[in-house]
Amino acid sequence: MLRCVPYPVEYQRVLSQRTSVIPHCTVVRSSDTFGNIVQTGYVADSHDAFMFESVGTIDVSKKRMPEALNPLFKYPTMLTNTDASMLNAIKYIGAPVNGADEWVVRLSEYLHNNFVYESGATSVTTTAAQAFALGKGVCQDYTHVAIAMCRELGIPARYVNGFMIGEGATHAWLEYYDGAVWQAYDPTNNRVVDDTYIKIAHGRDFDDCSINRGRFCGTAQQEIKVSLMVERVRKMSQ
């Protein structure tokens, strides 16, 4: 199961997109519960590697459209529960005074000053509380912690998987609901999400919107490698 096609929304217009799979198999395109585009397939023949490539061009703007709230994004999940230390941190940051926008900025500043980015310190099963106790992690952990703390204060929040301009790997950030519109913020880089980001999928947490997921039969050891390049192809008119 692959999620590698940009999320279909008005501020992301897909101009072209192609997914290639090796070994070749029939790929069926559909959408999941959250509206993410999903491509699924099955390789029946014996193989020792599975590869996929997604290539395309997308027109991204900063515009955000009003959207109804799915109540699922108000509640914690297994990966986004809070604990006593996180509740103490919320008290330290202080209650929202001027709405969700201002509080998310303060939250991001807190994580920027008290959290360390360290690859390999956590895994895809690390919860927000575990990562917070460690005080370190990757973008997934920053996002889970931020989502958990937002929901604790009654601010609906959701996990976003996607790409940033440049070369590297996939990235994660959060979207929070301001009462009418889902706003996007990147707690890992302590900045507002702009048109240099490409949204692929969203969900309650990482488990809902991972880029790839699958199962193989056999005794082989599994190793996953990711290579990503996002570049601006032309300057868009303002």
Side-chain angles (χ1 to χ4, degrees):
M1 181 172 63
L2 306 176
R3 293 185 183 90
C4 56
V5 179
Y7 190 86
V9 70
E10 290 190 30
Y11 59 82
Q12 289 191 156
R13 187 164 58 96
V14 178
L15 305 179
S16 65
Q17 195 278 332
R18 171 180 55 83
T19 302
S20 301
V21 173
I22 301 174
H24 175 74
C25 69
T26 299
V27 175
V28 178
R29 181 164 165 166
S30 60
S31 60
D32 65 16
T33 303
F34 300 102
N36 306 312
I37 296 176
V38 178
Q39 295 169 295
T40 56
Y42 174 70
V43 180
D45 296 333
S46 178
H47 56 284
D48 57 15
F50 174 81
M51 295 176 284
F52 72 93
E53 180 183 53
S54 179
V55 179
T57 305
I58 182 171
D59 182 6
V60 183
S61 73
K62 300 178 183 177
K63 188 176 182 180
R64 297 277 165 168
M65 303 298 294
E67 183 181 337
L69 172 64
N70 184 336
L72 285 175
F73 300 121
K74 298 168 61 176
Y75 305 108
T77 64
M78 292 290 290
L79 291 174
T80 58
N81 270 307
T82 55
D83 63 6
S85 61
M86 295 175 73
L87 295 180
N88 288 334
I90 291 174
K91 291 179 181 178
Y92 176 82
I93 296 169
V97 177
N98 298 311
D101 296 328
E102 175 262 348
W103 193 82
V104 169
V105 171
R106 281 196 279 138
L107 168 62
S108 184
E109 287 283 351
Y110 175 87
L111 294 177
H112 182 71
N113 294 327
N114 294 276
F115 217 73
V116 177
Y117 188 96
E118 184 177 319
S119 181
T122 56
S123 72
V124 295
T125 61
T126 301
T127 67
Q130 289 169 338
F132 189 82
L134 286 172
K136 54 188 175 183
V138 293
C139 58
Q140 173 183 304
D141 304 298
Y142 279 81
T143 303
H144 277 158
V145 169
I147 287 172
M149 295 171 82
C150 281
R151 290 174 180 164
E152 184 66 36
L153 282 179
I155 301 172
R158 63 192 184 191
Y159 187 102
V160 179
N161 239 329
F163 310 144
M164 282 184 70
I165 194 167
E167 186 173 3
T170 57
H171 192 48
W173 58 93
L174 84 149
E175 290 180 337
Y176 62 94
Y177 197 66
D178 67 3
V181 175
W182 285 98
Q183 304 291 350
Y185 210 90
D186 180 357
T188 308
N189 292 298
N190 193 28
R191 56 174 288 193
V192 172
V193 170
D194 58 19
D195 60 358
T196 62
Y197 290 71
I198 297 174
K199 176 179 176 176
I200 297 297
H202 71 238
R204 294 166 299 173
D205 55 31
F206 169 82
D207 276 348
D208 282 338
C209 53
S210 57
I211 298 294
N212 63 288
R213 175 165 293 178
R215 179 177 297 175
F216 66 86
C217 297
T219 58
Q221 294 296 314
Q222 180 176 250
E223 181 183 7
I224 299 176
K225 295 182 180 179
V226 180
S227 177
L228 174 71
M229 170 63 77
V230 178
E231 57 185 350
R232 194 183 298 274
V233 294
R234 68 180 184 275
K235 185 176 181 180
M236 306 301 295
S237 59
Q238 299 298 316

